[in-house]
Amino acid sequence: MPTSFITVQQHILEEQRRFPGSSGEFSSLLSGITMATKMIQDKVRRAGLSDILGEYGETNVQGERQQKLDVFANHALIHFLGLRERVGVLASEENEQPVIVHQGSEDANYAIVFDPLDGSSNIDVNVSVGTTFSILRRPDGVTLHEPDQWVLQPGSKQIAAGYVVYGSSTILVYSVGNGVHGFTLDPSLGAYMLSHPSMKMPKQGPYYSVNEAYRESFPEPYRDYLDRLRSGALGQPYASRYIGSMVADFHRTLLKGGVFLYPPTHENPDGKLRLLYEANPIAFLAEQAGGIAIDGKRRVLDIEPESIHQRTPIIVGSQVELTDFGRLIG
Ligand code: P6P
């Protein structure tokens, strides 16, 4: 059957045999993501036509001025994921503390961590934005009275992760640990249709992606690395591509290969991107697609988180570029 006739629901049903202890759980969890992101994309597509643009007038836990779409996206995800009785804890970029969903329910044994609208500062200028998510199983012996412990787990414990990029089309990319698969939203059907089965990151790519405005504040090995990419030392010339929206920059890297990096800077010495709901999901997908994701020293997925909103440097991309970086850093 052509891939275009396989919906994400059908695909999930086939995949969930591989979802640990699944009994329809994964399809229920992911349907919460698909429902919420269809509503988000509807608002994103019409942002200029309604009063959804602009600032909400409040500041979030990150100290960032909340865009109205941020708030809408956060509410949509909390609502639809909160309807799933197997979900016990939700943690969002927009909320300082985790949200306990099913107080006292013995059936609740999943936590979902998400950034409802990554790159939201780009909304007003019509640049791609995205939603990222990470699904974790409740650690043995942890109760709903310890919600932080549900989410403070290394990325290697993710049982599923993915993102939705709201770009020229709306694409959901996810993995349950059995490869990476992409689904394009068909607006006429209102369904995510399989469009990118078994995605594999090219072993080397034509692009490097970094905010070069901060070059002088990168640690020296990062500056040396960028010089190597530009000098042809990796056997080919590179072009620079930087959207300033992590999901879009990673999506291009996944499809075309190359490297996306957000190094330590003077302003963000621990990097800018958040470990739990930005770096971990894309690191999980990168590795599942044959790529590599490190924080400059170790696998992103091996980092033991200490706080929900902690940041990390990230260098993620193809085998050739990441192996070269590893040799440089030593
Ligand atoms: P800078 C968007 O605000 C974001 O969190 C990521 O989506 C993106 O990769 C990064 O920040 C861009 O940061 O400092 O280059 O503007």
Side-chain angles (χ1 to χ4, degrees), residues 118-119 121 211 214 242 244-247 260 262 272-273 278:
D118 172 69
S121 54
N211 188 332
Y214 309 144
Y242 192 71
S245 187
M246 177 199 71
V247 172
F260 166 70
Y262 204 109
K272 177 181 182 183
L273 300 185
E278 291 178 330

Side-chain angles (χ1 to χ4, degrees), residues 64 67 69-70 93-94 115-132 164 166 243-249 272-273 278:
E64 297 164 344
Q67 302 289 331
L69 257 176
D70 277 323
E93 193 246 11
E94 297 293 332
D115 184 352
L117 209 58
D118 172 69
S120 55
S121 54
N122 289 303
I123 295 169
D124 287 353
V125 293
N126 204 30
V127 166
S128 299
V129 293
T131 296
T132 60
V164 174
Y166 311 102
I243 300 167
S245 187
M246 177 199 71
V247 172
D249 280 317
K272 177 181 182 183
L273 300 185
E278 291 178 330

Side-chain angles (χ1 to χ4, degrees), residues 210-252:
V210 67
N211 188 332
E212 305 216 49
Y214 309 144
R215 176 192 161 80
E216 296 318 310
S217 84
F218 294 159
E220 187 174 358
Y222 289 86
R223 299 201 299 272
D224 295 344
Y225 178 63
L226 293 175
D227 292 344
R228 280 180 60 78
L229 294 176
R230 277 196 287 266
S231 69
L234 271 65
Q236 62 171 44
Y238 279 83
S240 173
R241 291 282 188 282
Y242 192 71
I243 300 167
S245 187
M246 177 199 71
V247 172
D249 280 317
F250 176 74
H251 187 65
R252 181 200 56 248

Side-chain angles (χ1 to χ4, degrees), residues 168-184:
S168 49
S169 59
T170 297
I171 296 183
L172 164 70
V173 176
Y174 87 89
S175 175
V176 293
N178 179 48
V180 178
H181 310 283
F183 303 80
T184 300

Side-chain angles (χ1 to χ4, degrees), residues 64-106:
E64 297 164 344
R65 299 292 295 161
Q66 281 185 308
Q67 302 289 331
K68 289 178 182 176
L69 257 176
D70 277 323
V71 176
F72 173 84
N74 195 40
H75 289 170
L77 282 157
I78 289 173
H79 172 75
F80 284 106
L81 291 173
L83 295 175
R84 273 60 192 173
E85 72 278 357
R86 303 310 298 271
V87 175
V89 172
L90 297 173
S92 167
E93 193 246 11
E94 297 293 332
N95 295 72
E96 186 157 6
Q97 300 301 330
V99 174
I100 298 173
V101 176
H102 282 280
Q103 192 72 40
S105 162
E106 285 310 308

